Amino acid sequence: MPGTARPLAALSLLAACALALTACGSSGGSTDSAAPAASGTALAGQTITVYSGQHEQTVKALTEDFTKRTGIKVELRSGDEAELANQILQEGDASPADVFYAENPPALTVLGDKGLLAKAAPDTLKSVPANDSSGRGDWVGVSARTSAFLAATGKAADTAPPASVLDLAKPEWKGRLGIAPSETDFAPVVTQVLKAKGEDATKQWLKGLKDNAKIYDSNETLSAAVNSGEVEGGVIDHYYFYRMRDEKGAAETHATLHYFPKGDPGSLVDVSGAAVLKHGKHQAAAQAFLGYLASAPAQTVIAGSASYEYPLVSGVQGKPELPALDTIGTVADPAQLGDGKQALGLLQDAGLLQ
């Protein structure tokens, strides 16, 4: 789940399943037509199983609120999104999961490519901007986050932060930089560099990062290293700074968040999304849960939580200390992020992943 180390074996196996298109899952069974998000009261007493790679405390608050409103119970299984997606791929039709709630689009894309996702109800998809959900309608965007550069306060990285994420491969960053390449948040940044600069330039950029950076196993450990001055700076998702600040208090927070210029590959705005599993046993109840996630009450829970993510439903405001999302980046097209296999392959080739 976010804030924990990403198991490299799970990431590699997920990429291998996407690359080889082997029988990691089945695409037979029910049709793609979306069931409407049924009234929760008509489904009271049912129990759905949600596999979630999102912030556990926030998702727990969401599921509890959903149950209060609808009477539908939720069995929550939280873990790393790559591990959970891989588990669903292996379980196929026999998966007990009714809903998959992912931190990043590529994990959802892998399952969608295998035909394991049902179409989301049209009214659910209409609740958030179209670009924040799957173009084929098989998952809905729920919240957003942006990449940023965390710098040790007062260090050169803070007073003269990088003008672009691409600059971090330059020799002047050698020994000053930290990265967490095994985080599932990092591969989408690599994909953005690929899209902007091409494969050869991305390989050179990754080589520069490997030469320059100290490697950390999670964004939390990287943030702590920046805060302690162990390294001058590193690329993280914005919310790790705010969560660290809440934990340590302002007096013990010695790091500053800088946003890459809008349009830079480092200004990636990524979405978390949720999907109904096509072979789930509780289709109507699962669709009701997706409809809830894309509703104002759920988005208000997200906006007020300690996850510091951006809500996607119009009219629901995020935490006041967060800059307006449209001033710091543009949501990445989920179709362009794809299944992430090329980015993972390049990270492995560069020696940044095993």
Side-chain angles (χ1 to χ4, degrees):
M1 66 196 71
T4 62
R6 300 306 198 248
L8 299 184
L11 283 165
S12 299
L13 184 53
L14 183 59
C17 286
L19 184 61
L21 292 179
T22 59
C24 292
S26 170
S27 60
S30 60
T31 66
D32 281 342
S33 60
S39 169
T41 55
L43 303 168
Q46 290 192 25
T47 299
I48 60 172
T49 298
V50 174
Y51 283 15
S52 172
Q54 261 290 48
H55 303 274
E56 189 170 356
Q57 288 183 333
T58 302
V59 178
K60 187 172 184 291
L62 288 167
T63 57
E64 289 175 350
D65 186 57
F66 172 70
T67 297
K68 288 178 182 178
R69 292 173 181 276
T70 65
I72 301 170
K73 300 177 182 178
V74 178
E75 181 180 337
L76 183 61
R77 300 187 185 183
S78 294
D80 177 83
E81 68 173 7
E83 282 190 327
L84 292 171
N86 183 55
Q87 183 176 339
I88 292 169
L89 285 168
Q90 295 193 43
E91 292 169 343
D93 297 4
S95 177
D98 295 294
V99 172
F100 179 49
Y101 188 2
E103 185 181 358
N104 297 284
L108 289 156
T109 297
V110 169
L111 299 185
D113 287 347
K114 298 297 292 180
L116 295 177
L117 305 182
K119 298 291 188 185
D123 285 347
T124 297
L125 293 169
K126 290 177 183 176
S127 297
V128 302
N131 291 340
D132 297 347
S133 299
S134 165
R136 58 191 173 195
D138 56 4
W139 58 265
V140 65
V142 179
S143 58
R145 78 199 77 85
T146 182
S147 298
F149 185 76
L150 186 68
T153 303
K155 300 285 188 179
D158 180 28
T159 56
S164 168
V165 73
L166 300 172
D167 291 347
L168 297 175
K170 293 179 178 180
E172 56 261 36
W173 284 96
K174 188 174 182 63
R176 302 167 58 201
L177 180 67
I179 58 172
S182 63
E183 283 271 6
T184 52
D185 298 327
F186 193 77
V189 177
V190 177
T191 299
Q192 292 296 90
V193 175
L194 268 166
K195 185 178 72 172
K197 298 297 180 180
E199 185 171 337
D200 289 344
T202 303
K203 288 179 178 179
Q204 289 301 311
W205 177 68
L206 290 173
K207 181 182 183 298
L209 292 187
K210 188 174 190 299
D211 291 343
N212 289 346
K214 182 172 182 178
I215 306 301
Y216 293 90
D217 64 2
S218 72
N219 278 329
E220 284 187 337
T221 55
L222 171 55
S223 298
V226 173
N227 195 64
S228 69
E230 183 176 311
V231 291
E232 285 192 35
V235 178
I236 62 168
D237 277 343
H238 77 274
Y239 52 65
Y240 287 96
F241 164 74
Y242 291 102
R243 290 165 58 185
M244 179 177 71
R245 186 198 62 181
D246 284 354
E247 179 183 345
K248 292 183 174 295
E252 296 301 319
T253 300
H254 309 296
T256 307
L257 199 61
H258 298 271
Y259 294 93
F260 294 105
K262 192 171 181 179
D264 186 78
S267 67
L268 166 73
V269 177
D270 206 358
V271 296
S272 300
V276 172
L277 274 297
K278 185 182 289 186
H279 302 290
K281 297 178 178 64
H282 308 96
Q283 291 289 307
Q287 290 285 352
F289 183 65
L290 249 63
Y292 164 76
L293 290 177
S295 72
Q299 296 280 299
T300 301
V301 171
I302 292 169
S305 74
S307 67
Y308 285 92
E309 290 191 277
Y310 287 89
L312 297 180
V313 169
S314 177
V316 180
Q317 300 298 317
K319 286 187 177 290
E321 56 264 59
L322 298 179
L325 195 58
D326 61 3
T327 66
I328 55 175
T330 303
V331 174
D333 183 348
Q336 291 183 334
L337 290 179
D339 58 18
K341 65 184 180 184
Q342 187 179 9
L344 289 173
L346 291 177
L347 283 164
Q348 290 169 331
D349 291 345
L352 292 169
L353 288 180
Q354 301 300 316

